[in-house]
Amino acid sequence: MFRIGLTGGIGSGKSAAAAYFRELGIHVVDADWAARVVVQPGRPALEQIAQHFGASVLLENGTLDRAQLRALVFDNPAERAWLEGLLHPLIREEILLSLAQSASPYAILESPLLIESGQYQLVDRICVVDLPESLQLERASTRDENHPEQIRKIMAAQLDRQERLAKADDVLDNTADLAALNRQIEALHQKYLLLAAAAQECPPSK
């Protein structure tokens, strides 16, 4: 299965791009979805998180209080490292299971931390949704109704724009409107269909 990693910083339009790939009939695995699945009630990870951080990270219905957990680890590198060490292998396993279920010509892994988390190792190409950081800040602040300073903190925790672009095989420029983004996706879709067909005919040697 030919796999594309789709990523971009907060407010970049990554989710809009993923939605259009879905409209084109492509199987898209959302890493954020996988991250929610592995901490559902009854999963071992949720119990370990509650034991480590205390009951304050659980809501009354027993589900994870993601906002509370985020607040506990965001400015604490040691606790963040502990959490990532627990969750990243589980998320990776969930992603691989979902990718394996794909019936489309190629599959997409949508992940905001594709490069930072090492998930890029699961894909054949990296596609970055890009726009200037000033516009990224503006769109994210408007969409999430968050204070710009909070968005800046999230952006600072993500990979620098230039570093992300340096890792890209393909770039979607999202400085214009949705129609312009979708036209670029349609062109990439045709390219990916050809690459997927070629990969199927000549699989990489092991």
Side-chain angles (χ1 to χ4, degrees), residues 24-113:
L24 294 172
I26 299 305
H27 181 71
V28 178
V29 179
D30 183 353
D32 284 344
W33 162 83
R36 290 190 291 272
V37 167
V38 300
V39 293
Q40 287 179 342
R43 294 281 187 121
L46 182 60
E47 183 178 347
Q48 291 180 58
I49 290 170
Q51 288 176 350
H52 184 83
F53 292 102
S56 66
V57 297
L58 297 178
L59 296 170
E60 289 185 5
N61 62 4
T63 59
L64 181 65
D65 187 338
R66 299 174 68 86
Q68 173 67 10
L69 181 61
R70 193 180 305 116
L72 288 173
V73 305
F74 197 82
D75 293 318
N76 190 322
E79 294 288 34
R80 186 173 178 178
W82 180 91
L83 185 65
E84 289 175 349
L86 171 68
L87 295 182
H88 282 182
L90 299 174
I91 293 169
R92 179 188 177 99
E93 182 179 344
E94 202 68 41
I95 287 170
L96 286 171
L97 285 171
S98 186
L99 285 171
Q101 296 169 4
S102 173
S104 57
Y106 63 91
I108 284 180
L109 169 57
E110 174 196 355
S111 175
L113 299 176

Side-chain angles (χ1 to χ4, degrees), residues 132-187:
E133 291 179 347
S134 58
L135 188 55
Q136 185 182 345
L137 177 64
E138 177 186 327
R139 289 184 180 176
S141 300
T142 302
R143 181 197 66 189
D144 300 336
E145 297 183 348
N146 276 334
H147 193 278
E149 189 57 36
Q150 180 63 24
I151 300 298
R152 286 191 185 94
K153 286 185 177 181
I154 295 172
M155 289 171 64
Q158 295 179 335
L159 201 65
D160 175 81
R161 181 190 180 195
Q162 295 307 318
E163 291 180 276
R164 190 184 296 114
L165 287 172
K167 298 285 188 182
D169 296 295
D170 306 292
V171 177
L172 290 166
D173 181 354
N174 196 22
T175 54
D177 58 12
L178 186 61
L181 177 66
N182 287 348
R183 284 193 295 271
Q184 294 175 71
I185 292 171
E186 288 167 3

